[in-house]
Amino acid sequence: AQSVSQHNHHVILSEAASLELGCNYSYGGTVNLFWYVQYPGQHLQLLLKYFSGDPLVKGIKGFEAEFIKSKFSFNLRKPSVQWSDTAEYFCAVNAVGTYKYIFGTGTRLKVLA
Amino acid sequence: DGGITQSPKYLFRKEGQNVTLSCEQNLNHDAMYWYRQDPGQGLRLIYYSQIVNDFQKGDIAEGYSVSREKKESFPLTVTSAQKNPTAFYLCASSRVPGRRTNSNQPQHFGDGTRLSIL
């Protein structure tokens, strides 16, 4: 069965610090990968997605993620976080050809001004 | 603007009562989904539908029911059989894979409905 692990449940950073959130999945076939963000009081929004091609994908608001197939990982990064990045971040995996999306348990990020 | 509308935003249920959560989309998406979000557990799939008049159980379908009579609408009923219904419920939709690619499109989410037990 597919599963997604997000290792960090809570992360606290100061503004301008670098961010890396881990995401690992278990599935042997071809996958589509996503990162979503949920700002306080708002709905989930797509940050970035990987379907194929360049394993380094860039998303909105300066976020990027790297797909490392050999490690089954899709870690999210941002060189310098801002207070407005305070939110909950979810990694999601979809097996190609299926309609099911599996979400990780989420990481709550708090950025201190 | 296209999007997904969930209503109501807050809902209260008495013990033994069924309640129905509404989800409407005007994105012309074929696929629709219901998730339950609990603290520390992320999003768990309740039901999903690939096309009108068809739907499949997700990972935690017990105590829930759905219908898909129209492309735009995918209501979720939380029945009295659901013993722990207090949660945040999210509806989502997506396009289906194109003919030239197997890649699914990202999901679009509604604002959610928070259900509480009285």
Side-chain angles (χ1 to χ4, degrees):
Chain A
Q2 300 168 44
S3 67
V4 177
S5 297
Q6 291 184 240
H7 318 296
N8 317 100
H9 297 296
H10 292 90
V11 174
I12 301 176
L13 296 172
S14 298
E15 272 195 318
S18 64
L19 170 72
E20 180 160 3
L21 301 182
C23 173
N24 285 85
Y25 67 93
S26 64
Y27 181 71
T30 305
V31 295
N32 302 313
L33 299 157
F34 308 87
W35 274 99
Y36 287 87
V37 60
Q38 189 174 33
Y39 297 105
Q42 296 187 27
H43 60 266
L44 268 81
Q45 303 170 38
L46 182 69
L47 261 184
L48 47 78
K49 62 190 179 190
Y50 172 80
F51 287 163
S52 63
D54 189 345
L56 184 63
V57 292
K58 295 191 183 298
I60 60 171
K61 303 186 181 185
F63 286 91
E64 65 178 31
E66 184 175 14
F67 171 47
I68 303 179
K69 190 174 181 180
S70 61
K71 295 184 178 180
F72 298 91
S73 70
F74 190 55
N75 293 354
L76 180 71
R77 299 194 295 246
K78 185 170 184 179
S80 175
V81 295
Q82 301 172 317
W83 176 81
S84 57
D85 293 324
T86 294
E88 190 160 17
Y89 293 80
F90 294 92
C91 180
V93 171
N94 159 250
V96 169
T98 75
Y99 285 81
K100 286 186 68 173
Y101 295 72
I102 307 297
F103 284 78
T105 53
T107 297
R108 285 187 184 270
L109 171 67
K110 185 177 179 68
V111 180
L112 305 175
Chain B
D1 288 340
I4 299 179
T5 302
Q6 289 187 243
S7 61
K9 192 170 182 178
Y10 299 95
L11 187 57
F12 298 91
R13 193 190 91 168
K14 294 180 181 179
E15 294 283 351
Q17 187 180 44
N18 292 355
V19 290
T20 297
L21 284 59
S22 170
C23 178
E24 303 277 331
Q25 55 101 357
N26 60 4
L27 298 165
N28 200 32
H29 287 169
D30 283 304
M32 296 187 75
Y33 308 78
W34 274 105
Y35 293 92
R36 172 179 168 139
Q37 186 178 10
D38 295 283
Q41 297 194 54
L43 277 68
R44 293 182 291 167
L45 182 65
I46 304 173
Y47 269 97
Y48 66 103
S49 168
Q50 302 173 19
I51 198 167
V52 173
N53 292 324
D54 185 51
F55 47 83
Q56 285 78 41
K57 292 182 178 180
D59 300 316
I60 54 166
E62 186 175 350
Y64 299 97
S65 66
V66 293
S67 63
R68 186 86 187 276
E69 297 176 2
K70 298 186 301 181
K71 186 176 184 178
E72 304 80 23
S73 178
F74 191 41
L76 172 74
T77 297
V78 184
T79 75
S80 57
Q82 172 49 241
K83 298 306 178 188
N84 186 22
T86 297
F88 189 55
Y89 290 88
L90 285 167
C91 179
S93 70
S94 70
R95 285 158 50 189
V96 300
R99 291 182 180 178
R100 295 184 179 180
T101 173
N102 284 326
S103 297
N104 280 353
Q105 298 298 313
Q107 294 180 308
H108 295 251
F109 286 86
D111 287 338
T113 293
R114 189 165 297 279
L115 175 62
S116 301
I117 300 303
L118 292 178

